[in-house]
Amino acid sequence: MTAVQTSEEQSGAATGQEQDQYPAGAQVVVRDEVWLVRSSMPTAEDGTRIEVVGVSEFVRDQEAVFFSGLDRIELLDPRATALVMDDSPNYRRSRLFLEAVLRRTALPQSERRLALADSFLMDPLPYQRRPAELALSGANLRPRLLIADVVGLGKTLEIGLTLAELIRRGRGERILVVTPQHVLEQFQHELWTRFAIPLVRLDSVGIERIQREIPAGRNPFTSFKRVIVSIDTLKNTDQYRHHLEQIRWDAVVIDESHNLINRGSLRNQLARTLAPRTDALILASATPHNGDAKSFAELIGLLDPVAIRDPENYRAADIEHLFIRRTKISREVREQMKGQWADRGPSHSVHCPATPAEEKIFEELAAVWLPGDGGPSVSSVPLFPYTLLKSFLSSHAALRATVSARIKTLEKKDDPRGTAAELSALHRLAELAADLTKADSAKLAALVRQLREEIGVGPGSEERVVVFSERVQTLEWLAEVLPAALGFKGRAARDCVRIMHGGLSDEQQMACVEEFGLADTPVRVLLTGDVASEGVNLHRQCHQLVHYDVPWSLIRIEQRNGRIDRYGQARPPEFRALILTSEVEGAKDDTVVAERLLEREDQAHRSLGTAEAVTGLYRAEAEEKSLIQDLLRGRTVDESLNARRSGTDGEDAGLDDFLADFFGPVGEEAPPADPVEAGGSAPAMVSSGSRAAASPVIPRLFDSTAHFLDEALREVYPDARERLDLDRDPQSGLLSFRPPTELVHRLKALPMDYLREQRLRERLLVTFNRRLAEHSLQRARESSTSSWPEISLLTDLHPVVEWLTDKVLVGMGRQEAPMITANVVEPIYLVQGVYSNKLGRPTVVKWMGVTWLKATKEGLVDDDMVSLLRRCGVGPTMANKLRYRDPAPLREALPDVLDTAEAFLNAHRDAWDEPLREPIEQYKQRLGTWRQPTLAGERTKERLADLADSLLTTGRPLLRVLAVLLPDADRKPGDDGPPPVSLTIPVASPSRF
């Protein structure tokens, strides 16, 4: 009886949590048709869920999903492999088939090194690779981490690279990305153009479309494998939260994750729904801490519930495997960033002396609302006078809105007599504000001067600027008066300004960002509220920023500045702030708070790399509230900031040291270069092909993906010029062709705007030339119609590469393996061996050359198939003499060959498992000391213990015969060339193990 099990035997032997195993790239028979496995994962009730694409004629190229508990799924028995001749030139079909199997096989869990980092449209900056390295390091039970790099370092790129590596490992088939609504398209754009990872965007329009296309009540998340959706959409819709509870993900990304902290909030509930229903979880935030140790522990608990034992007493070292944070001045960032990010200039304070009409309001505020001599304010609400002041420092339009709203509130009270004085004072302010016009605004006059004379914005100029204000009324007023003041007339006056704030829909917000980022659009000024201060990239066409009013928070100032001061900024960012000044005694003009905050933010940025830790509050709202309270006590801005940081306000002095751990150089040092020391794969065991140098992360027969694709096109479409209307530019490397129907079907996962605007269903333009792809991306930004490039970079994840890889695989018949004449002494069988865990993920993958010597009943194995093939002369220059070989004697040896392969795998399984076992055992030890007083906590502990056990290798290996290398019958002793290859390392009989 052979040591290899059929699918039925494996299914019958499975007990407990063990599941049928169907590795990606394998062929299965379901409903009497042959299918190619794309991915597989266990389910709680229906066995293993496998995603497949059709191979046999009736279902060719059709996509389907089967469950082993509902359908009979037969994994083809390797003993029944048919050995066939290959009549292609240079054995091209065989070489392509072997390469396709290598590409379609998921990398094992034991492989910690990055496999794809050099193949994407991003600069080779090691610091941006470190989050992916940490996620894969094995330091954590699963790929889970918080990326807390400060504003502008490229968190989206770090996320994209991490997802790409998970996809290559078969752990990224189902991806959910959750972002604020205004960055949906930006995030989607980056992941496709940089990494060729398509995400279906479910904004308000996308959801409408889905509801029309799918049956009523159908879970929309089962219709798409990779989705990006607004956090506001998910948190506010009970229907979608219900759908999320019914589905599991391979990877979930939550951007701006500091918004998840407040327990009981809808965002927090959403995060707590998703966290246990995904393998990988990536949280991203430049401001992940709110100053409360318990709240931050809750955020970390989403990643690993047992990482922190005491949520009120822990250190950075406790979570260093889950948390990475760098600033622009971190050593590794600073050294690698040279030439990639222009240094920022200083923040210029533009003093605007108040006009006579504005001085009257300053007089009223100083005398009635904010008396400087310690006298009482007319308002019964201590903080409201500062709300009035901030509105006025923004604009008279904002002041009018604030006064009007307060009057309405007070007039609704049952007994307004207690507020009569305040109502009277409000009406006086309303009268003063009503008389103000644009001619009475010192800030408006200064803004126009700065834009026209200092920055150069105006008709005929390409210069762009982003203007921030906290108040929607200010933004709307500026949108009315600014175009004409800048000299724009007619249609140009309507098109030169765009306004963005939180009251707009997600579609409107994304449209504003896209228009401002396209060089050829007429937009010159983006007027925006602080909705754009988180996550939005505005640096592509802009390096000028104006604070029309200044937020009373260092964090908010830094977030605003980070919109143009970020990785990829080619010109030194310039910041200006309009500072309204007054001659009125006791007036709290912008020199009192705003100007001093600007100076402190600039100082902190240059000395610390970030300003958010200065106050120790870590939230913009908390900073502003604390500052106003201190102003009410008579403190200055500096006294307030210093008191908070030193803990002299009665705060826990230990809190300062605690937070310093997290917002200091966390994750500063790069990991060891040696892959084993860094948690990488153990060296290969003894074999006839042992090497001194480390093996490549991805074993490959072809020297590049470009070479593979070129040969695949020749094999699959020898008449490509006619059938695909293929055009190839040998100088630029551009490929242009008409996609066939099965490829068009795969393209449905691409962004709808991209498909429509570039007419991709009619013609594709792709390239391996990085410079050409980058140039196309830059040209798209200079377009007036679309930010999507017409030429995409072909990465290993690109749908075109995956499509051709699958075409090559299905080109080999059902359970066939080619016979290849090579420079060998005796037949060598190429065998793939895969160990998996209970989740169906590969833990060990070995590519072997196996010889069975019938005379001595001895098996020989080389566990480096790629090196073996090179030594045997298998390559593009080998000759195919088209000699028939009888496969019958070779097939007779298959059971013994497979026994030999399994014996070799069993002999070394423990050693190969060691890099996996050690971190899992360490986690289980930590889990054993974790005590939870609640039933829910104990259930979580049980679940995590089961998860840890499920990650260990289980069961017997799956074996697959890929090809047979045969001696050249025409070769004679003494012929020129290298001597024929013979395996020399024996493998004992399987009965000895």
Side-chain angles (χ1 to χ4, degrees), residues 105-111 113 115 165 168-170 697-699 842 845:
T105 300
L107 293 178
Q109 279 187 188
S110 55
E111 181 54 77
R113 297 168 296 172
E165 292 291 340
R168 186 58 185 85
R169 286 158 172 77
V697 179
I698 302 179
V845 177

Side-chain angles (χ1 to χ4, degrees), residues 533-550:
S533 67
E534 290 186 353
V536 179
N537 296 337
L538 301 176
H539 66 294
R540 299 297 183 190
Q541 310 296 338
C542 174
H543 71 292
Q544 302 279 0
L545 185 149
V546 176
H547 299 279
Y548 193 80
D549 51 45
V550 178

Side-chain angles (χ1 to χ4, degrees), residues 433-750:
D435 293 336
L436 268 66
T437 67
K438 63 181 181 181
D440 295 311
S441 174
K443 278 192 174 183
L444 176 62
L447 176 65
V448 173
R449 285 196 303 273
Q450 290 294 313
L451 294 182
R452 297 196 69 168
E453 300 171 14
E454 299 298 327
I455 298 176
V457 177
S461 170
E462 298 297 319
E463 201 65 51
R464 299 188 180 204
V465 64
V466 56
V467 178
F468 272 97
S469 172
E470 289 189 305
R471 309 291 170 146
V472 173
Q473 298 83 9
T474 301
L475 296 172
E476 292 174 340
W477 173 65
L478 288 175
E480 291 177 9
V481 301
L482 197 55
L486 292 175
F488 291 97
K489 298 179 181 179
R491 181 173 180 177
R494 295 193 302 273
D495 295 340
C496 71
V497 171
R498 287 293 178 270
I499 181 172
M500 187 168 87
H501 53 75
L504 302 180
S505 70
D506 50 6
E507 282 287 305
Q508 291 170 319
Q509 291 182 34
M510 287 187 290
C512 288
V513 174
E514 181 176 20
E515 281 191 83
F516 189 69
L518 296 174
D520 202 30
T521 59
V523 181
R524 293 295 173 264
V525 180
L526 177 63
L527 300 169
T528 181
D530 286 321
V531 67
S533 67
E534 290 186 353
V536 179
N537 296 337
L538 301 176
H539 66 294
R540 299 297 183 190
Q541 310 296 338
C542 174
H543 71 292
Q544 302 279 0
L545 185 149
V546 176
H547 299 279
Y548 193 80
D549 51 45
V550 178
W552 286 11
S553 158
L554 297 176
I555 290 175
R556 192 67 78 200
I557 295 171
E558 181 176 71
Q559 287 174 333
R560 283 184 177 185
N561 290 347
R563 297 313 100 211
I564 65 168
D565 182 20
R566 55 196 308 109
Y567 169 69
Q569 174 60 268
R571 296 176 289 178
E574 296 183 20
F575 310 105
R576 292 173 172 81
L578 305 183
I579 303 298
L580 187 62
T581 64
S582 173
E583 297 293 331
V584 173
E585 184 177 355
K588 289 180 172 56
D589 62 11
D590 275 325
T591 63
V592 174
V593 177
E595 189 167 39
R596 190 59 193 133
L597 287 176
L598 286 168
E599 294 170 357
R600 289 295 293 266
E601 186 274 340
D602 190 62
Q603 292 169 7
H605 181 85
R606 297 181 189 283
S607 61
L608 303 175
T610 178
E612 63 195 23
V614 170
T615 63
L617 293 172
Y618 304 99
R619 280 292 175 272
E621 298 79 5
E623 280 190 335
E624 180 174 337
K625 183 178 179 180
S626 174
L627 177 58
I628 292 176
Q629 289 172 338
D630 281 344
L631 292 173
L632 286 170
R633 296 186 186 116
R635 288 177 173 172
T636 66
V637 169
D638 286 317
E639 287 171 344
S640 175
L641 297 180
N642 295 337
R644 288 294 309 176
R645 197 70 199 117
S646 64
T648 58
D649 252 353
E651 303 292 336
D652 182 358
L655 186 64
D656 179 60
D657 294 334
F658 166 75
L659 294 177
D661 280 349
F662 293 95
F663 290 87
V666 176
E668 175 83 17
E669 297 301 322
D674 184 89
V676 177
E677 291 182 15
S681 301
M685 294 294 102
V686 176
S687 73
S688 62
S690 59
R691 286 81 51 207
S695 60
V697 179
I698 302 179
R700 285 182 173 171
L701 300 183
F702 286 73
D703 55 12
S704 68
T705 301
H707 185 197
F708 169 73
L709 183 137
D710 183 63
E711 289 287 279
L713 275 173
R714 295 177 192 276
E715 177 65 25
V716 177
Y717 289 100
D719 53 352
R721 188 173 295 277
E722 290 75 29
R723 284 185 63 189
L724 304 181
D725 192 20
L726 176 67
D727 184 49
R728 186 194 310 264
D729 185 339
Q731 289 188 328
S732 69
L734 178 66
L735 285 175
S736 170
F737 66 98
R738 183 179 60 253
T741 303
E742 65 267 22
L743 179 54
V744 170
H745 181 68
R746 292 179 183 233
L747 296 180
K748 68 179 182 180
L750 298 184

Side-chain angles (χ1 to χ4, degrees), residues 326-343:
R326 283 79 52 87
T327 72
K328 189 179 179 181
I329 67 171
S330 296
R331 181 167 55 85
E332 67 169 338
V333 176
R334 185 178 63 251
E335 293 173 356
Q336 297 166 24
M337 193 65 76
K338 294 175 181 176
Q340 305 294 334
W341 187 351
D343 289 333

